Amino acid sequence: MVISHFIALILFAFFVSVVFGVLTKETRRDCVIYSAKTFAAFVGIALVMGWVMFAFAR
Amino acid sequence: MAKSAVKKRAEEEEVEEPHVPTGVLIRLMVAAWLVPGSGHFLQGRRGRATILFGSIISMFILGILMNGEFFHLNSPSILHRLGFIGEWSVGVAMAVAHFFGYSGDDIFFASTDYGTAFLVAAGMLNILTMFDSYDIAMGRKN
């Protein structure tokens, strides 16, 4: 299975965020909120870092 | 305010950890290692166990579908040896993959690097899950 960088990032961020949320929070609401924040952080930081590296590309 | 904080801390220190037999803990840890989420399942947290199992096994299967590389313990590189430990942390899924003939040798496949990251991350997440079930058994977490 060959997938794009972005889809790989989305899948990785999703599953890791879900596990982090389930392990660190007690209530279902807190789990969902924490997972969503972690997912957004994963994807957001990766995109920002991608553009930063693009700016310094040779 | 400060007084109540001191009182609260004193109360927390008075709470003793429940005595759990070492054999039970070892069995729990081995089960949690072999099947992701089973440590939570055995302690009655079935919903969490299902989500953890689904997430970790999904990552492992995606890693295999992307032709992730299996590391070997006798590799000269210490990073590969650490990768071997990371991948085997996912438990019986690795043995099943070996049983069905997956060797993960095609390192020139386009998405092999992603697949390897998925395989190792699945093992690392399973280690976190094991520690979490240990904390639950010791009464440090609800």
Side-chain angles (χ1 to χ4, degrees), chain B residues 69-125:
Chain B
E69 183 185 359
F70 277 179
F71 295 115
H72 302 283
L73 192 58
N74 54 5
S75 167
S77 166
I78 191 165
L79 288 177
H80 283 197
R81 276 179 266 159
L82 287 172
F84 173 84
I85 295 169
E87 287 178 343
W88 270 96
S89 299
V90 83
V92 80
M94 274 293 282
V96 171
H98 277 295
F99 178 77
F100 284 107
Y102 182 81
S103 57
D105 285 336
D106 188 7
I107 58 171
F108 297 108
F109 192 71
S111 53
T112 290
D113 285 343
Y114 301 147
T116 307
F118 272 71
L119 292 175
V120 176
M124 296 291 99
L125 290 175

Side-chain angles (χ1 to χ4, degrees), chain A:
Chain A
M1 183 173 82
V2 179
I3 56 175
S4 72
H5 292 55
F6 188 68
I7 299 297
L9 165 69
I10 294 288
L11 288 171
F12 188 92
F14 174 76
F15 289 117
V16 174
S17 303
V18 167
V19 173
F20 280 3
V22 169
L23 291 183
T24 55
K25 300 297 172 188
E26 293 298 321
T27 65
R28 183 174 295 181
R29 187 172 179 275
D30 288 345
C31 281
V32 171
I33 291 171
Y34 186 80
S35 296
K37 282 181 181 172
T38 312
F39 178 78
F42 263 120
V43 177
I45 291 171
L47 288 176
V48 169
M49 290 304 294
W51 279 105
V52 168
M53 286 190 282
F54 178 72
F56 293 102
R58 275 192 250 177

Side-chain angles (χ1 to χ4, degrees), chain B residues 24-96:
Chain B
V24 172
L25 279 177
I26 290 172
R27 278 197 293 265
L28 193 67
M29 289 294 99
V30 170
W33 167 56
L34 289 175
V35 181
S38 61
H40 289 73
F41 187 85
L42 292 172
Q43 296 181 85
R45 287 158 175 80
R46 297 186 176 178
R48 282 171 191 258
T50 307
I51 294 171
L52 291 170
F53 178 82
S55 300
I56 293 172
I57 294 299
S58 296
M59 283 195 79
F60 186 81
I61 291 171
L62 282 169
I64 287 193
L65 290 175
M66 288 186 252
N67 275 25
E69 183 185 359
F70 277 179
F71 295 115
H72 302 283
L73 192 58
N74 54 5
S75 167
S77 166
I78 191 165
L79 288 177
H80 283 197
R81 276 179 266 159
L82 287 172
F84 173 84
I85 295 169
E87 287 178 343
W88 270 96
S89 299
V90 83
V92 80
M94 274 293 282
V96 171

